[in-house]
Amino acid sequence: MADYAAAARAITTADSLGLVSHLNPDPDTIGSAAALALAAQRAGKRVAAYCRDAVPANYRFIPGSGLFSTNPAVLEGVDVLVVVDCSEPGRIGPDGEAILSTAALVIDIDHHTDGVVFGKVRLVEPGAAASGVLIHELLNELGWSVDREIAEALYTAIETDTGSFHYPNTTPRCLRVTAELLERGCRPQKVAQALYESHRPERFRLLGLALNTLELALEGRLALIQVTRAMYDRTGASVEDTEDIVDYARGLAGVEVGAFLREEADGTVKLSLRSKGAVRVDELARRIGGGGHPCAAGAGFSGSLGEAREWVIANVAQALSEPAGADC
Ligand code: 5GP
Ligand code: MN
């Protein structure tokens, strides 16, 4: 379901392009959409970009990320709407369907396995490592050149969605695209410094408190880490500083599933789940309206931290007792 020729035709004939990323944006949705936005600007098109949530401070180094607005009105009247990295319209935000229904032509660019396809034109490839890979191939189809800024935006998308090239989506195709980005001037060390070596001390103070909550369950096969609202007050850290804490839960020997539970301001819990392969965590997340990938998924949980913890333990226990798994 990847009609590059149709997507390139629609974009070539458009005077204006609207880019849409998913809420709680990650570097793939931002970097991929920003790369296409920059390339379209260089091709003389009028460009607007929308994300329901502001680009987190630690991702504002991504070239083109400054183009995003949190006001959907910027999309009004654009010829083509390109929705990037959204597995379903609801990932745009509560008004996702409304935004799509007013657009002249919608292109759905995504790589999630559990996606609901939408839009007239689709570049949907669950086998692709990141939406950034699909955007790179679309730029080739368009014949638009990739400069250093575009290359670094796409590299950031791919580097993060492959877990720094740790996950099984690190395929030959993914590495070939990455090699081309390096040939276009991308500096991996600059991206790595921006992503992993530019944190505020508050982030590490929060990490310290979070790691102290580490709990092992199910005979050491499940690890849980929590962040409460009180921890933000104690450390001065913010929600953005919780990114990647879940990796510590999966990082223990013997752990099959790592879970991160974050208490939200509205009394719900944001769940992040990571698997080493024994469990498909996207299937667990879908049970409560979430989604993601077999080895990395997330969901919102309506209930308290304690209830979320119980839910995770019960559902991971049940999944571990079944044979189905994933290649993580
Ligand atoms: P994270 O745990 O880092 O928030 O997300 C891991 C993966 O799950 C990402 O691919 C992300 O897009 C997806 N994901 C996280 N939360 C949700 C959710 O509430 N709904 C859906 N459909 N996917 C989610
Ligand atoms: Mn992605």
Side-chain angles (χ1 to χ4, degrees), residues 168-182:
N169 58 356
T170 309
T171 57
R173 174 190 184 190
C174 158
L175 291 176
R176 282 192 190 97
V177 169
T178 305
E180 281 188 45
L181 299 175
L182 300 191

Side-chain angles (χ1 to χ4, degrees), residues 22 26 28-29 85 110-112 129-131 161 293:
H22 63 69
D26 64 11
D28 186 26
T29 197
D85 205 42
D110 186 38
H111 70 124
H112 288 90
S131 294
D161 256 29
H293 304 278

Side-chain angles (χ1 to χ4, degrees), residues 22 26 85 87-88 91 112 114 243 246 270-274 289-293 296-300:
H22 63 69
D26 64 11
D85 205 42
S87 55
E88 43 158 325
R91 291 289 286 157
H112 288 90
D114 60 342
E243 189 93 21
V246 66
K270 166 75 189 0
L271 263 185
S272 286
L273 299 170
R274 301 291 185 269
H293 304 278

Side-chain angles (χ1 to χ4, degrees), residues 21 26 51 109 153 269 284 298 310:
S21 285
D26 64 11
C51 182
I109 301 186
V269 174
L284 296 194
E310 293 297 325

Side-chain angles (χ1 to χ4, degrees), residues 35-113:
L36 183 56
L38 289 173
Q41 277 188 334
R42 280 154 205 175
K45 317 248 176 228
R46 187 173 72 78
V47 168
Y50 167 71
C51 182
R52 203 278 308 252
D53 300 311
V55 176
N58 49 333
Y59 300 146
R60 288 192 202 139
F61 76 91
I62 297 174
S65 61
L67 295 170
F68 280 91
S69 167
T70 55
N71 181 359
V74 298
L75 301 173
E76 277 167 22
V78 297
D79 297 329
V80 170
L81 206 61
V82 186
V83 183
V84 183
D85 205 42
C86 294
S87 55
E88 43 158 325
R91 291 289 286 157
I92 298 170
D95 53 353
E97 293 281 5
I99 287 173
L100 296 185
S101 67
T102 55
L105 189 146
V106 173
I107 305 178
D108 171 12
I109 301 186
D110 186 38
H111 70 124
H112 288 90
T113 43

Side-chain angles (χ1 to χ4, degrees), residues 245-260:
I245 292 181
V246 66
D247 294 334
Y248 290 92
R250 182 171 50 182
L252 290 163
V255 163
E256 282 295 341
V257 176
F260 175 64

